[in-house]
Amino acid sequence: MKNKNATFIKIKNTFFLSATILIAFSAVAMAQEAVSLQNTDCIKCHKTEPATVERNGGLHKTAVGCLDCHTEHPPLGTEAIPQCSMCHSGEPHYELENCLSCHSDPHQPLALQLDDNITTACLTCHPEQGKELQDHPSKHTEVACTFCHTEHGEIPDCSVCHEPHTQGQTTKDCLGCHPVHQPLVIHYSNETPRSYCTPCHEDIGELMNKTTTKHKTFTCAFCHRGVHPVVPQCETCHGKPHSAAQHKAMPNCLDCHLDAHNLAK
Ligand code: HEC
Ligand code: HEC
Ligand code: HEC
Ligand code: HEC
Ligand code: HEC
Ligand code: HEC
Ligand code: HEC
Ligand code: HEC
Ligand code: HEC
Ligand code: HEC
Ligand code: HEC
Ligand code: HEC
């Protein structure tokens, strides 16, 4: 019983409030015949939108005003809510569905709401990254752009999702080998430290720590240049240092020198 009464009072109040607003609005509407509604009038009855635009409106504050979008006011007109396409057209991005799903508030158009499975919309402005991911299939191709870029323009650290191969590697180091949109195209500079290779090639690391020849001081990448995994020829650096007769008789350098990582002389 008590509840019913409360509801009744609420309905009554709402009715009363609406009636007041309508009367007030009719006054404005009538006044409009002489003086039309100005951008500065809106704030008299609408508090939220003008405050949002003022705070965070961006180009919707500076390049347009309320009335450029809301060209007609109820109950006078029916076109109170504008379509984005009134002003934005002619680019692939403007062909997307449901603009407001990301631009959740037109009064602060860059306050974006992005969920974690967006890719197609990103490609309207960043086709190259999409192409890299498609041309070089990897596990990163299988996740959405916003799985990694949770905010627009934000760059994640690899460590959010991965352990490094060895302690102390930063995202910059990872990127030195793995271009993130094609992580299986692994390439690196000649200066890459040995400790970046040896976590996976431990035995060779140990061999090279022990060896006493001039190869001892080289980085792995100095010989295994450029792309993983590449195996060099001795001749690339040394040519054919011995007599032609010897090379003809024994063409395989390692028959005598045994191991590139631990030469025998
Ligand atoms: C005298 C008070 C008053 C002023 C001034 C006023 N409005 Fe309104 N506005 C209202 C009321 C009341 C409603 C709700 C009417 C309805 O739902 O039909 C409303 C509704 C709206 C709506 C929503 C329409 C919809 O379909 O949901 C928009 C948009 C709007 N106003 C924009 C503006 C803009 C822009 C201005 C300034 C140019 C403005 N109003 C000035 C009172 C006012
Ligand atoms: C760039 C275009 C644009 C501008 C500029 C703009 N609005 Fe809006 N406004 C919209 C759109 C689109 C909606 C509908 C939003 C939705 O459906 O969520 C809307 C909704 C509204 C509503 C209805 C809100 C509701 O919850 O139903 C009001 C009131 C309003 N705007 C007032 C204003 C006022 C006041 C200004 C100026 C300070 C303004 N708008 C500037 C595009 C604009
Ligand atoms: C009355 C015209 C008009 C309408 C309607 C309109 N815009 Fe705009 N918008 C502009 C203008 C003008 C600019 C600034 C120049 C440009 O980027 O084209 C702009 C800029 C923007 C920006 C960039 C803002 C910034 O600060 O950099 C976004 C995002 C945007 N609009 C989204 C929307 C969305 C989403 C809608 C529909 C809900 C919409 N606009 C409706 C006129 C409009
Ligand atoms: C899936 C999310 C998403 C959807 C849907 C979306 N946008 Fe965007 N929009 C973005 C992102 C992200 C940006 C880049 C924001 C930045 O540069 O800070 C952007 C930027 C913009 C800009 C400013 C840059 C420019 O091109 O001038 C405008 C205008 C815009 N969008 C309008 C629209 C319109 C109109 C629609 C609907 C046809 C729409 N957007 C649909 C995500 C979206
Ligand atoms: C309407 C066009 C537009 C859309 C849509 C868009 N972007 Fe952007 N994005 C830009 C612009 C413009 C920049 C700034 C470019 C610059 O600073 O060189 C940018 C910058 C970025 C950056 C930072 C680049 C850097 O060098 O720091 C990332 C990351 C990014 N966008 C990812 C995305 C993702 C992910 C999406 C999809 C959710 C997306 N963008 C959607 C236009 C867009
Ligand atoms: C938001 C999470 C996320 C971020 C950030 C991220 N990755 Fe990944 N990455 C994944 C997932 C998920 C996989 C597939 C499962 C796995 O191997 O753990 C993957 C797989 C990989 C693979 C193996 C690819 C394959 O197809 O086998 C490499 C290499 C890789 N990531 C490198 C990187 C590097 C380098 C960075 C930083 C520049 C990075 N990732 C940032 C989520 C992420
Ligand atoms: C696995 C996580 C991950 C995924 C998935 C991912 N990115 Fe990135 N993205 C990054 C990282 C990390 C960087 C920084 C790369 C760098 O500095 O070299 C980056 C850089 C960027 C940049 C800046 C320019 C550049 O190429 O360095 C843009 C734009 C961008 N991403 C857009 C996208 C788009 C669009 C998609 C989806 C088609 C996407 N990204 C998917 C992690 C990711
Ligand atoms: C010196 C080059 C190099 C650096 C630096 C490097 N990686 Fe790798 N990474 C590789 C190679 C080579 C593979 C193995 C590829 C294969 O299996 O064929 C690999 C494989 C991966 C894989 C696939 C899963 C696995 O462990 O085999 C992930 C994930 C990965 N790296 C992430 C990272 C991250 C994160 C960083 C930075 C902390 C990083 N990498 C730094 C060369 C490097
Ligand atoms: C994350 C582990 C990982 C890292 C780091 C790594 N490798 Fe490898 N490497 C592998 C795996 C796994 C294979 C064998 C599969 C293949 O061929 O991709 C391999 C194969 C190789 C081969 C070819 C072997 C053959 O028989 O053809 C060479 C040479 C090699 N790696 C050199 C390097 C060098 C040099 C570095 C450092 C710049 C390095 N690797 C870093 C995992 C790694
Ligand atoms: C990327 C270039 C490169 C490759 C590949 C390479 N070496 Fe060398 N090697 C060198 C350099 C540089 C030296 C040192 C020359 C000097 O200081 O006089 C050297 C030195 C040597 C020496 C002399 C060692 C000493 O301690 O005096 C021998 C023997 C040798 N290499 C054999 C080989 C053999 C066999 C292979 C193939 C399995 C090979 N090298 C592959 C660059 C290379
Ligand atoms: C002086 C040049 C040189 C250096 C430095 C070097 N390698 Fe090699 N590596 C070679 C050559 C030449 C071969 C091919 C040997 C053959 O034909 O059997 C080879 C073969 C390999 C192989 C494949 C065959 C095998 O032995 O398993 C791997 C893996 C490898 N190297 C990893 C490494 C790593 C890791 C480092 C650094 C710790 C390193 N290499 C340093 C020249 C070098
Ligand atoms: C029949 C065995 C044998 C073969 C095969 C062989 N070497 Fe040698 N190599 C030697 C011996 C022994 C020495 C040491 C000679 C000396 O110190 O004067 C040597 C020395 C070298 C040196 C050091 C030269 C210097 O001046 O310090 C290089 C470099 C070298 N070999 C490269 C090669 C290459 C490259 C191949 C294959 C194309 C090769 N060797 C094939 C036995 C061989």
PDB file of all heavy atoms in Angstrom, residues 160-187:
ATOM      1  N   VAL A 160      53.470  -7.181 -20.931  1.00  0.00           N
ATOM      2  CA  VAL A 160      52.071  -7.356 -20.525  1.00  0.00           C
ATOM      3  C   VAL A 160      51.643  -8.804 -20.792  1.00  0.00           C
ATOM      4  O   VAL A 160      50.855  -9.375 -20.053  1.00  0.00           O
ATOM      5  CB  VAL A 160      51.147  -6.385 -21.298  1.00  0.00           C
ATOM      6  CG1 VAL A 160      49.687  -6.653 -20.996  1.00  0.00           C
ATOM      7  CG2 VAL A 160      51.507  -4.944 -20.988  1.00  0.00           C
ATOM      8  N   CYS A 161      52.168  -9.391 -21.854  1.00  0.00           N
ATOM      9  CA  CYS A 161      51.715 -10.730 -22.249  1.00  0.00           C
ATOM     10  C   CYS A 161      52.823 -11.785 -22.302  1.00  0.00           C
ATOM     11  O   CYS A 161      52.530 -12.972 -22.394  1.00  0.00           O
ATOM     12  CB  CYS A 161      51.034 -10.675 -23.610  1.00  0.00           C
ATOM     13  SG  CYS A 161      49.664  -9.519 -23.684  1.00  0.00           S
ATOM     14  N   HIS A 162      54.081 -11.381 -22.304  1.00  0.00           N
ATOM     15  CA  HIS A 162      55.169 -12.354 -22.486  1.00  0.00           C
ATOM     16  C   HIS A 162      56.273 -12.219 -21.446  1.00  0.00           C
ATOM     17  O   HIS A 162      56.555 -11.119 -20.980  1.00  0.00           O
ATOM     18  CB  HIS A 162      55.835 -12.164 -23.868  1.00  0.00           C
ATOM     19  CG  HIS A 162      54.934 -12.396 -25.028  1.00  0.00           C
ATOM     20  ND1 HIS A 162      54.417 -13.626 -25.331  1.00  0.00           N
ATOM     21  CD2 HIS A 162      54.464 -11.549 -25.981  1.00  0.00           C
ATOM     22  CE1 HIS A 162      53.666 -13.538 -26.421  1.00  0.00           C
ATOM     23  NE2 HIS A 162      53.669 -12.279 -26.838  1.00  0.00           N
ATOM     24  N   GLU A 163      56.917 -13.351 -21.178  1.00  0.00           N
ATOM     25  CA  GLU A 163      58.161 -13.367 -20.419  1.00  0.00           C
ATOM     26  C   GLU A 163      59.300 -13.115 -21.395  1.00  0.00           C
ATOM     27  O   GLU A 163      59.249 -13.588 -22.527  1.00  0.00           O
ATOM     28  CB  GLU A 163      58.384 -14.758 -19.790  1.00  0.00           C
ATOM     29  CG  GLU A 163      57.383 -15.142 -18.720  1.00  0.00           C
ATOM     30  CD  GLU A 163      57.558 -14.331 -17.450  1.00  0.00           C
ATOM     31  OE1 GLU A 163      58.720 -13.992 -17.132  1.00  0.00           O
ATOM     32  OE2 GLU A 163      56.552 -14.014 -16.798  1.00  0.00           O
ATOM     33  N   PRO A 164      60.342 -12.395 -20.969  1.00  0.00           N
ATOM     34  CA  PRO A 164      61.495 -12.235 -21.864  1.00  0.00           C
ATOM     35  C   PRO A 164      62.269 -13.550 -21.966  1.00  0.00           C
ATOM     36  O   PRO A 164      62.117 -14.427 -21.108  1.00  0.00           O
ATOM     37  CB  PRO A 164      62.338 -11.170 -21.170  1.00  0.00           C
ATOM     38  CG  PRO A 164      61.963 -11.263 -19.734  1.00  0.00           C
ATOM     39  CD  PRO A 164      60.531 -11.718 -19.687  1.00  0.00           C
ATOM     40  N   HIS A 165      63.128 -13.688 -23.017  1.00  0.00           N
ATOM     41  CA  HIS A 165      63.966 -14.886 -23.126  1.00  0.00           C
ATOM     42  C   HIS A 165      65.035 -14.877 -22.054  1.00  0.00           C
ATOM     43  O   HIS A 165      65.468 -15.907 -21.589  1.00  0.00           O
ATOM     44  CB  HIS A 165      64.656 -14.952 -24.496  1.00  0.00           C
ATOM     45  CG  HIS A 165      63.693 -14.973 -25.638  1.00  0.00           C
ATOM     46  ND1 HIS A 165      62.683 -15.889 -25.743  1.00  0.00           N
ATOM     47  CD2 HIS A 165      63.585 -14.182 -26.734  1.00  0.00           C
ATOM     48  CE1 HIS A 165      61.994 -15.664 -26.844  1.00  0.00           C
ATOM     49  NE2 HIS A 165      62.520 -14.630 -27.467  1.00  0.00           N
ATOM     50  N   THR A 166      65.499 -13.665 -21.707  1.00  0.00           N
ATOM     51  CA  THR A 166      66.540 -13.543 -20.701  1.00  0.00           C
ATOM     52  C   THR A 166      66.302 -12.262 -19.910  1.00  0.00           C
ATOM     53  O   THR A 166      65.699 -11.323 -20.427  1.00  0.00           O
ATOM     54  CB  THR A 166      67.942 -13.542 -21.351  1.00  0.00           C
ATOM     55  OG1 THR A 166      68.932 -13.475 -20.340  1.00  0.00           O
ATOM     56  CG2 THR A 166      68.153 -12.367 -22.293  1.00  0.00           C
ATOM     57  N   GLN A 167      66.752 -12.237 -18.677  1.00  0.00           N
ATOM     58  CA  GLN A 167      66.483 -11.099 -17.798  1.00  0.00           C
ATOM     59  C   GLN A 167      66.972  -9.781 -18.384  1.00  0.00           C
ATOM     60  O   GLN A 167      68.016  -9.737 -19.017  1.00  0.00           O
ATOM     61  CB  GLN A 167      67.169 -11.327 -16.449  1.00  0.00           C
ATOM     62  CG  GLN A 167      66.238 -11.972 -15.443  1.00  0.00           C
ATOM     63  CD  GLN A 167      66.856 -12.003 -14.053  1.00  0.00           C
ATOM     64  OE1 GLN A 167      68.052 -11.756 -13.891  1.00  0.00           O
ATOM     65  NE2 GLN A 167      66.045 -12.313 -13.057  1.00  0.00           N
ATOM     66  N   GLY A 168      66.201  -8.731 -18.156  1.00  0.00           N
ATOM     67  CA  GLY A 168      66.661  -7.394 -18.518  1.00  0.00           C
ATOM     68  C   GLY A 168      66.276  -6.952 -19.911  1.00  0.00           C
ATOM     69  O   GLY A 168      66.502  -5.798 -20.270  1.00  0.00           O
ATOM     70  N   GLN A 169      65.706  -7.836 -20.722  1.00  0.00           N
ATOM     71  CA  GLN A 169      65.290  -7.406 -22.068  1.00  0.00           C
ATOM     72  C   GLN A 169      64.063  -6.507 -21.970  1.00  0.00           C
ATOM     73  O   GLN A 169      63.080  -6.865 -21.321  1.00  0.00           O
ATOM     74  CB  GLN A 169      64.944  -8.629 -22.935  1.00  0.00           C
ATOM     75  CG  GLN A 169      66.166  -9.316 -23.526  1.00  0.00           C
ATOM     76  CD  GLN A 169      65.781 -10.539 -24.355  1.00  0.00           C
ATOM     77  OE1 GLN A 169      64.796 -11.220 -24.073  1.00  0.00           O
ATOM     78  NE2 GLN A 169      66.582 -10.829 -25.367  1.00  0.00           N
ATOM     79  N   THR A 170      64.145  -5.366 -22.641  1.00  0.00           N
ATOM     80  CA  THR A 170      63.020  -4.438 -22.662  1.00  0.00           C
ATOM     81  C   THR A 170      62.243  -4.607 -23.967  1.00  0.00           C
ATOM     82  O   THR A 170      62.691  -5.300 -24.882  1.00  0.00           O
ATOM     83  CB  THR A 170      63.515  -2.986 -22.610  1.00  0.00           C
ATOM     84  OG1 THR A 170      64.291  -2.747 -23.794  1.00  0.00           O
ATOM     85  CG2 THR A 170      64.379  -2.744 -21.393  1.00  0.00           C
ATOM     86  N   THR A 171      61.094  -3.939 -24.060  1.00  0.00           N
ATOM     87  CA  THR A 171      60.288  -3.989 -25.283  1.00  0.00           C
ATOM     88  C   THR A 171      61.103  -3.533 -26.484  1.00  0.00           C
ATOM     89  O   THR A 171      60.991  -4.090 -27.574  1.00  0.00           O
ATOM     90  CB  THR A 171      59.036  -3.110 -25.122  1.00  0.00           C
ATOM     91  OG1 THR A 171      58.217  -3.690 -24.110  1.00  0.00           O
ATOM     92  CG2 THR A 171      58.244  -3.017 -26.407  1.00  0.00           C
ATOM     93  N   LYS A 172      61.952  -2.525 -26.260  1.00  0.00           N
ATOM     94  CA  LYS A 172      62.794  -2.041 -27.355  1.00  0.00           C
ATOM     95  C   LYS A 172      63.701  -3.174 -27.860  1.00  0.00           C
ATOM     96  O   LYS A 172      63.886  -3.326 -29.069  1.00  0.00           O
ATOM     97  CB  LYS A 172      63.639  -0.859 -26.840  1.00  0.00           C
ATOM     98  CG  LYS A 172      64.421  -0.130 -27.893  1.00  0.00           C
ATOM     99  CD  LYS A 172      64.860   1.243 -27.352  1.00  0.00           C
ATOM    100  CE  LYS A 172      65.862   1.891 -28.293  1.00  0.00           C
ATOM    101  NZ  LYS A 172      67.226   1.313 -28.133  1.00  0.00           N
ATOM    102  N   ASP A 173      64.252  -3.959 -26.938  1.00  0.00           N
ATOM    103  CA  ASP A 173      65.095  -5.091 -27.338  1.00  0.00           C
ATOM    104  C   ASP A 173      64.273  -6.121 -28.125  1.00  0.00           C
ATOM    105  O   ASP A 173      64.721  -6.621 -29.155  1.00  0.00           O
ATOM    106  CB  ASP A 173      65.702  -5.769 -26.107  1.00  0.00           C
ATOM    107  CG  ASP A 173      66.600  -4.824 -25.319  1.00  0.00           C
ATOM    108  OD1 ASP A 173      67.288  -4.005 -25.950  1.00  0.00           O
ATOM    109  OD2 ASP A 173      66.606  -4.900 -24.079  1.00  0.00           O
ATOM    110  N   CYS A 174      63.087  -6.415 -27.647  1.00  0.00           N
ATOM    111  CA  CYS A 174      62.231  -7.398 -28.337  1.00  0.00           C
ATOM    112  C   CYS A 174      61.985  -6.942 -29.773  1.00  0.00           C
ATOM    113  O   CYS A 174      62.078  -7.735 -30.713  1.00  0.00           O
ATOM    114  CB  CYS A 174      60.874  -7.551 -27.653  1.00  0.00           C
ATOM    115  SG  CYS A 174      60.914  -7.768 -25.864  1.00  0.00           S
ATOM    116  N   LEU A 175      61.662  -5.641 -29.896  1.00  0.00           N
ATOM    117  CA  LEU A 175      61.350  -5.105 -31.215  1.00  0.00           C
ATOM    118  C   LEU A 175      62.566  -5.132 -32.133  1.00  0.00           C
ATOM    119  O   LEU A 175      62.424  -5.146 -33.358  1.00  0.00           O
ATOM    120  CB  LEU A 175      60.807  -3.676 -31.088  1.00  0.00           C
ATOM    121  CG  LEU A 175      59.386  -3.572 -30.507  1.00  0.00           C
ATOM    122  CD1 LEU A 175      59.069  -2.139 -30.095  1.00  0.00           C
ATOM    123  CD2 LEU A 175      58.358  -4.076 -31.521  1.00  0.00           C
ATOM    124  N   GLY A 176      63.759  -5.175 -31.542  1.00  0.00           N
ATOM    125  CA  GLY A 176      64.979  -5.289 -32.333  1.00  0.00           C
ATOM    126  C   GLY A 176      65.005  -6.593 -33.121  1.00  0.00           C
ATOM    127  O   GLY A 176      65.650  -6.680 -34.164  1.00  0.00           O
ATOM    128  N   CYS A 177      64.330  -7.614 -32.642  1.00  0.00           N
ATOM    129  CA  CYS A 177      64.257  -8.897 -33.352  1.00  0.00           C
ATOM    130  C   CYS A 177      62.873  -9.164 -33.951  1.00  0.00           C
ATOM    131  O   CYS A 177      62.772  -9.706 -35.038  1.00  0.00           O
ATOM    132  CB  CYS A 177      64.620 -10.043 -32.411  1.00  0.00           C
ATOM    133  SG  CYS A 177      66.384 -10.153 -32.030  1.00  0.00           S
ATOM    134  N   HIS A 178      61.817  -8.815 -33.199  1.00  0.00           N
ATOM    135  CA  HIS A 178      60.451  -9.146 -33.640  1.00  0.00           C
ATOM    136  C   HIS A 178      59.684  -7.878 -34.025  1.00  0.00           C
ATOM    137  O   HIS A 178      59.178  -7.192 -33.137  1.00  0.00           O
ATOM    138  CB  HIS A 178      59.644  -9.790 -32.504  1.00  0.00           C
ATOM    139  CG  HIS A 178      60.195 -11.053 -31.928  1.00  0.00           C
ATOM    140  ND1 HIS A 178      60.066 -12.262 -32.554  1.00  0.00           N
ATOM    141  CD2 HIS A 178      60.835 -11.310 -30.761  1.00  0.00           C
ATOM    142  CE1 HIS A 178      60.608 -13.214 -31.792  1.00  0.00           C
ATOM    143  NE2 HIS A 178      61.086 -12.657 -30.700  1.00  0.00           N
ATOM    144  N   PRO A 179      59.529  -7.549 -35.301  1.00  0.00           N
ATOM    145  CA  PRO A 179      58.607  -6.456 -35.643  1.00  0.00           C
ATOM    146  C   PRO A 179      57.209  -6.917 -35.216  1.00  0.00           C
ATOM    147  O   PRO A 179      56.782  -8.001 -35.607  1.00  0.00           O
ATOM    148  CB  PRO A 179      58.703  -6.359 -37.168  1.00  0.00           C
ATOM    149  CG  PRO A 179      59.861  -7.218 -37.570  1.00  0.00           C
ATOM    150  CD  PRO A 179      60.060  -8.227 -36.486  1.00  0.00           C
ATOM    151  N   VAL A 180      56.538  -6.114 -34.399  1.00  0.00           N
ATOM    152  CA  VAL A 180      55.404  -6.675 -33.652  1.00  0.00           C
ATOM    153  C   VAL A 180      54.235  -7.130 -34.527  1.00  0.00           C
ATOM    154  O   VAL A 180      53.533  -8.068 -34.176  1.00  0.00           O
ATOM    155  CB  VAL A 180      54.928  -5.692 -32.564  1.00  0.00           C
ATOM    156  CG1 VAL A 180      54.253  -4.471 -33.180  1.00  0.00           C
ATOM    157  CG2 VAL A 180      54.002  -6.379 -31.572  1.00  0.00           C
ATOM    158  N   HIS A 181      54.057  -6.486 -35.690  1.00  0.00           N
ATOM    159  CA  HIS A 181      52.938  -6.898 -36.538  1.00  0.00           C
ATOM    160  C   HIS A 181      53.314  -8.050 -37.473  1.00  0.00           C
ATOM    161  O   HIS A 181      52.492  -8.503 -38.271  1.00  0.00           O
ATOM    162  CB  HIS A 181      52.391  -5.701 -37.329  1.00  0.00           C
ATOM    163  CG  HIS A 181      51.965  -4.561 -36.435  1.00  0.00           C
ATOM    164  ND1 HIS A 181      52.471  -3.296 -36.557  1.00  0.00           N
ATOM    165  CD2 HIS A 181      51.107  -4.517 -35.401  1.00  0.00           C
ATOM    166  CE1 HIS A 181      51.937  -2.519 -35.630  1.00  0.00           C
ATOM    167  NE2 HIS A 181      51.108  -3.230 -34.910  1.00  0.00           N
ATOM    168  N   GLN A 182      54.567  -8.487 -37.405  1.00  0.00           N
ATOM    169  CA  GLN A 182      55.005  -9.690 -38.118  1.00  0.00           C
ATOM    170  C   GLN A 182      56.107 -10.355 -37.277  1.00  0.00           C
ATOM    171  O   GLN A 182      57.264 -10.441 -37.703  1.00  0.00           O
ATOM    172  CB  GLN A 182      55.471  -9.352 -39.544  1.00  0.00           C
ATOM    173  CG  GLN A 182      56.280  -8.073 -39.666  1.00  0.00           C
ATOM    174  CD  GLN A 182      56.640  -7.726 -41.094  1.00  0.00           C
ATOM    175  OE1 GLN A 182      56.506  -8.526 -42.010  1.00  0.00           O
ATOM    176  NE2 GLN A 182      57.111  -6.515 -41.297  1.00  0.00           N
ATOM    177  N   PRO A 183      55.725 -10.853 -36.093  1.00  0.00           N
ATOM    178  CA  PRO A 183      56.728 -11.254 -35.090  1.00  0.00           C
ATOM    179  C   PRO A 183      57.567 -12.454 -35.488  1.00  0.00           C
ATOM    180  O   PRO A 183      58.601 -12.701 -34.878  1.00  0.00           O
ATOM    181  CB  PRO A 183      55.878 -11.566 -33.850  1.00  0.00           C
ATOM    182  CG  PRO A 183      54.529 -11.917 -34.390  1.00  0.00           C
ATOM    183  CD  PRO A 183      54.348 -11.051 -35.607  1.00  0.00           C
ATOM    184  N   LEU A 184      57.150 -13.188 -36.513  1.00  0.00           N
ATOM    185  CA  LEU A 184      57.947 -14.357 -36.909  1.00  0.00           C
ATOM    186  C   LEU A 184      58.965 -14.019 -38.004  1.00  0.00           C
ATOM    187  O   LEU A 184      59.743 -14.878 -38.406  1.00  0.00           O
ATOM    188  CB  LEU A 184      57.034 -15.510 -37.354  1.00  0.00           C
ATOM    189  CG  LEU A 184      56.149 -16.070 -36.236  1.00  0.00           C
ATOM    190  CD1 LEU A 184      55.303 -17.232 -36.737  1.00  0.00           C
ATOM    191  CD2 LEU A 184      56.990 -16.512 -35.026  1.00  0.00           C
ATOM    192  N   VAL A 185      58.938 -12.775 -38.476  1.00  0.00           N
ATOM    193  CA  VAL A 185      60.004 -12.323 -39.380  1.00  0.00           C
ATOM    194  C   VAL A 185      61.097 -11.759 -38.480  1.00  0.00           C
ATOM    195  O   VAL A 185      61.133 -10.587 -38.166  1.00  0.00           O
ATOM    196  CB  VAL A 185      59.490 -11.232 -40.339  1.00  0.00           C
ATOM    197  CG1 VAL A 185      60.598 -10.767 -41.277  1.00  0.00           C
ATOM    198  CG2 VAL A 185      58.302 -11.751 -41.145  1.00  0.00           C
ATOM    199  N   ILE A 186      61.975 -12.655 -38.022  1.00  0.00           N
ATOM    200  CA  ILE A 186      62.930 -12.264 -36.981  1.00  0.00           C
ATOM    201  C   ILE A 186      64.226 -11.804 -37.615  1.00  0.00           C
ATOM    202  O   ILE A 186      64.883 -12.558 -38.320  1.00  0.00           O
ATOM    203  CB  ILE A 186      63.194 -13.463 -36.042  1.00  0.00           C
ATOM    204  CG1 ILE A 186      61.870 -13.876 -35.387  1.00  0.00           C
ATOM    205  CG2 ILE A 186      64.239 -13.126 -35.003  1.00  0.00           C
ATOM    206  CD1 ILE A 186      61.931 -15.211 -34.685  1.00  0.00           C
ATOM    207  N   HIS A 187      64.552 -10.556 -37.402  1.00  0.00           N
ATOM    208  CA  HIS A 187      65.859 -10.084 -37.868  1.00  0.00           C
ATOM    209  C   HIS A 187      66.479  -9.189 -36.823  1.00  0.00           C
ATOM    210  O   HIS A 187      65.801  -8.694 -35.936  1.00  0.00           O
ATOM    211  CB  HIS A 187      65.756  -9.414 -39.239  1.00  0.00           C
ATOM    212  CG  HIS A 187      64.726  -8.351 -39.316  1.00  0.00           C
ATOM    213  ND1 HIS A 187      64.794  -7.190 -38.593  1.00  0.00           N
ATOM    214  CD2 HIS A 187      63.586  -8.275 -40.020  1.00  0.00           C
ATOM    215  CE1 HIS A 187      63.749  -6.436 -38.870  1.00  0.00           C
ATOM    216  NE2 HIS A 187      62.977  -7.085 -39.726  1.00  0.00           N
TER     217      HIS A 187
END
